[in-house]
Every structure is written in structure tokens, then in C-alpha cells.
Amino acid sequence: PYYVGINQNLYLQASLYSSDPLLQLFLDTCVASPTPHNFTRGSYAIIENGCVKDPTFTRYSSPHRHILRFRFNAFQFVQSNSEVYLQCQLVVCRAYDYSSRCYQGCVHRSKREASS
């Protein structure tokens, strides 16, 4: 566990360890949950499909493609214990592959109607 006060900045870094220097990381989705077992119901999206959802989120530049750095303000779920669990989905892409997910950025996915 990592302890931080409410509204303090929480800094995160993800690193890809590979001998291939042409790989890079992309933060696709990052979701917070009051429980470690369910990241859908009652969760809070910080990043979703590459789109920033939390106004306190800041992405930092990195000296390397294989290192991703960002921050957001720490918070607590209402009527919950003081623990917040974070689950992030990262995408690994080949650098300079402009058709890859890493270069698409924010993708707004439309909701579909379920037919009978």
C-alpha cells in the first residue's frame, strides 16, 4: 500500500523492461475502485480509452518512450473505507507505428443499442 492524504498529488510511473528500444507505452485506461475485486460497478475513471476523465490528471514528459509518468489528486470514495484501489491498462506499441493504439490518443467509443 501507498499512503497519501486527500487532495495530495499521487505520482505514478510505469516502466517497460525490454531489450527492444523501439517499444513505447501508452496509458489507455486507469480506474479507481473502493474494492480490489470490482473495477466496474462503483468505480471512478481517471483515464478511459486514452481520454482524461479526472480534471486533476496530468501527464508528464519522460526521457524515454518506455517510461510513462502521470499524477492525479488523491481522493476517497464517499461512504467507504479509506482505501482506494487503482487498476491501469497500458498498451505496448512499436515506436513510430502511427497506425498503432499509442498514436490514436483519446478514442471516444460510442455505445451500441442491444437488439433482441
Side-chain angles (χ1 to χ4, degrees):
Y2 183 77
Y3 299 96
V4 64
I6 301 293
N7 289 326
Q8 286 185 326
N9 288 329
L10 179 61
Y11 295 91
L12 294 107
Q13 175 173 300
S15 300
L16 173 66
Y17 295 99
S18 171
S19 59
D20 187 343
L22 292 178
L23 295 179
Q24 71 180 59
L25 282 175
F26 175 73
L27 180 60
D28 182 70
T29 300
C30 206
V31 178
S33 171
T35 70
H37 308 293
N38 187 348
F39 284 89
T40 53
R41 198 182 78 211
S43 64
Y44 175 74
I46 297 162
I47 296 269
E48 191 172 51
N49 300 320
C51 305
V52 175
K53 299 294 183 181
D54 184 297
T56 68
F57 176 88
T58 302
R59 189 180 325 260
Y60 290 102
S61 61
S62 171
H64 305 286
R65 285 185 286 269
H66 62 275
I67 296 176
L68 189 70
R69 295 175 176 165
F70 61 98
R71 77 156 171 88
F72 60 91
N73 285 1
F75 64 92
Q76 181 177 342
F77 284 96
V78 177
Q79 299 176 353
S80 164
N81 59 12
S82 60
E83 294 175 346
V84 174
Y85 296 87
L86 191 64
Q87 182 180 70
C88 297
Q89 295 177 355
L90 303 166
V91 178
V92 178
C93 302
R94 176 131 330 259
Y96 311 113
D97 177 1
Y98 299 108
S99 65
S100 72
R101 178 67 188 98
C102 293
Y103 288 94
Q104 292 174 4
C106 174
V107 175
H108 295 285
R109 296 198 173 129
S110 60
K111 294 182 180 178
R112 300 183 302 165
E113 181 180 331
S115 59
S116 57

